[in-house]
Structures are given as structure tokens and as C-alpha cells.
Amino acid sequence: MSREPIISIRDLGVRYDSTVALMHVNLDIYADDFIAIIGPNGGGKSSLVKAIMGVVDYSGSIDYSPSIMRANHPHIGYLPQVSTFDKEFPISVVEVVMSGLQSEKSLWRGYGKEERRRAEEVLQLAQLSHLANRPIGELSGGQLQRVMLCRAIISNPKVLVLDEPANFVDNRFENELYNLLQQLSERMAIIMVSHDLGTVSSVVRSIVCVNRHVHRHDSNIITEEQLLNYDCPIQLVSHGNVPHTVLHHHDDCPHCKH
């Protein structure tokens, strides 16, 4: 019995003035997907997720299943690579998480007991309950990223998009993040942009290679020969006993600075 996709992309193209970011993209995303999106810098990874979220103009079509629609819009949670939240703003952790419910309440209605209950529930899932009343400015980078993840999932989206979520955080946070994402993947589809496939391959189920064109690889194991066939110019290398992926022309990977 065939599965029905929750997002179906056909002949997608994204262009910025004279620059072609994506062309002739066909891709199906399913409710049980946990996808790593990989590819070279400038290959169109961000353009793909922006098109899925509907925040960039595109040609072609993106069809969403009724199961992921809310108020005529696809219900998608989003965690950006770097939080733009002002840490100097006088607001507590639980209030930041509740702000993820902004679209569900009227402009003039404040947050009540139900919203706080939902915020405390996701904070407990992320093992951050003890920080609920802490000012946001007192958090570490890893703690803030987990709080922003709680904000992204408090509305219980059917799809969660993450853009390099583990960049600029320590290894302990990476482990905690991926453990949390594994739990979340049981109840929502996850699409994660990453440059470090060797680390995330233990948690994702599929790999999508993006370099203007898109190729879906339905396994978390991929070879350099397959990457070559997908026109995805990255290298699989190992540092000690930890294999990971190095993107050509990528300078931000902490493993590759030495």
C-alpha cells in the first residue's frame, strides 16, 4: 500500500534576479520522515526550506496535505540557525516558549493557564523545567537553542524545519538536541539542514542532496560514489573515530579548522 505525501513538490524553481538557486525540483515528504538536507554552500538548501515554508517566491507547485493545514496555511514549526531573539529583553523562558502560540490567540488576549501548561509540558520534554522562570538573558547558547526549539513545537506542528540547529553549540548540547529530535520524530515530520552528516546520520532516516537539483536518498547511509551520482560535491571524512561530512568551501565546521 503506497503512502500519501504530506508535502508534494513538483518542478520547483527558485530564482534571485539572474541567479538560479533551484530548478526542476521534485520531492515528496511523508508524515514519518526525518530528513537531513545536505549539499554545498550556495547549492540551494535554504531556498528549498524557504519554499516549503512559503516565504520565498517560486515557480512550479507545492501541495500540502489537508492533515498539515491550519487556518488555510501549512502548520510548520521552524528553528533558525541562529536565534534573533533579543536576550536583553526582560522576558522569562516560559514566556518565550508561550510566544510560539501567538498565532492561536487574539491580538488583545494574554496568555492564560492553558498556554502556560503547554509551555511547561514542552519545557519538561526538553529537560528545561528548572529554567521556566529564568530571564532569557541568563541562558547559555545551548539552553537558548533548546528554548527556541520548545517555542517552535509548542503549537504541535505536523512538520518541523531546522536550519543547522547544532551550529555554534557544544557537543553536550548536540547530544541532547538529537535525543530530543528523535523523540519528536515519532509525532511530526522533521526536515533538518546539516553540514555534518556523520553526526546526524545516526538519527535521520533519509538524506536529501541539494545542489540546484534535488535527489532523495531513502537511507541514512550514503557513499561518496552515491554523492557523486547525485552531483553533491561533499566529502565524507573521519576525525578519529567520528566520521562526518565536510562541505567543499565550508569554513564554519569546527572539526575542519585544524
Side-chain angles (χ1 to χ4, degrees):
M1 182 176 178
S2 63
R3 296 184 298 165
E4 290 295 323
I6 56 173
I7 301 176
S8 185
I9 301 170
R10 293 293 177 269
D11 201 27
L12 177 78
V14 176
R15 177 188 294 269
Y16 303 102
D17 296 324
S18 61
T19 301
V20 176
L22 294 169
M23 58 189 301
H24 305 307
V25 171
N26 295 293
L27 178 67
D28 286 329
I29 296 169
Y30 299 90
D32 60 351
D33 268 337
F34 191 164
I35 294 171
I37 295 182
I38 66 170
N41 284 355
K45 300 187 299 294
S46 293
S47 294
L48 178 60
V49 297
K50 287 177 180 177
I52 290 172
M53 295 172 59
V55 296
V56 66
D57 292 334
Y58 59 83
S59 59
S61 66
I62 303 180
D63 294 322
Y64 304 92
S65 165
S67 65
I68 70 167
M69 299 297 289
R70 180 180 294 179
N72 297 320
H73 296 284
H75 190 196
I76 299 176
Y78 177 58
L79 181 66
Q81 182 176 147
V82 179
S83 172
T84 57
F85 201 91
D86 183 4
K87 293 184 69 173
E88 299 301 317
F89 193 75
I91 189 172
S92 68
V93 165
V94 71
E95 289 170 324
V96 169
V97 176
M98 287 191 295
S99 70
L101 296 170
Q102 184 70 37
S103 63
E104 296 186 14
K105 72 181 191 68
S106 65
L107 182 62
W108 307 111
R109 184 173 69 84
Y111 298 108
K113 291 182 180 179
E114 174 60 18
E115 287 84 2
R116 186 175 181 100
R117 182 197 65 77
R118 290 170 66 179
E120 290 174 345
E121 187 177 83
V122 293
L123 284 170
Q124 183 176 12
L125 179 66
Q127 300 182 2
L128 294 172
S129 297
H130 61 293
L131 299 177
N133 298 311
R134 186 80 60 86
I136 196 72
E138 295 183 6
L139 302 187
S140 68
Q143 289 170 335
L144 178 60
Q145 192 76 325
R146 275 187 291 161
V147 168
M148 299 310 291
L149 177 58
C150 289
R151 182 180 185 273
I153 66 172
I154 188 174
S155 62
N156 197 26
K158 299 299 182 183
V159 181
L160 175 64
V161 174
L162 308 102
D163 189 359
E164 301 274 13
N167 262 11
F168 314 115
V169 296
D170 58 31
N171 290 335
R172 177 186 173 188
F173 167 70
E174 272 194 307
N175 294 332
E176 292 171 347
L177 171 71
Y178 296 137
N179 287 337
L180 177 56
L181 290 178
Q182 280 187 301
Q183 296 179 59
L184 293 174
S185 70
E186 299 301 317
R187 66 192 216 202
M188 63 186 68
I190 298 179
I191 303 168
M192 178 169 59
V193 178
S194 178
H195 72 265
D196 196 346
L197 181 59
T199 300
V200 303
S201 62
S202 63
V203 295
V204 302
R205 303 182 190 115
S206 301
I207 298 166
V208 170
C209 302
V210 181
N211 187 21
R212 293 182 68 193
H213 296 87
V214 167
H215 300 274
R216 177 174 173 131
H217 180 80
D218 281 318
S219 169
N220 62 347
I221 300 171
I222 194 167
T223 66
E224 290 192 0
E225 182 179 1
Q226 288 169 324
L227 289 170
L228 182 63
N229 290 336
Y230 295 148
D231 189 28
C232 196
I234 63 178
Q235 291 178 317
L236 301 178
V237 300
S238 297
H239 290 266
N241 294 322
V242 183
H244 75 290
T245 308
V246 180
L247 275 64
H248 288 188
H249 313 300
H250 185 84
D251 299 322
D252 296 327
C253 176
H255 303 290
C256 305
K257 292 182 177 179
H258 303 289

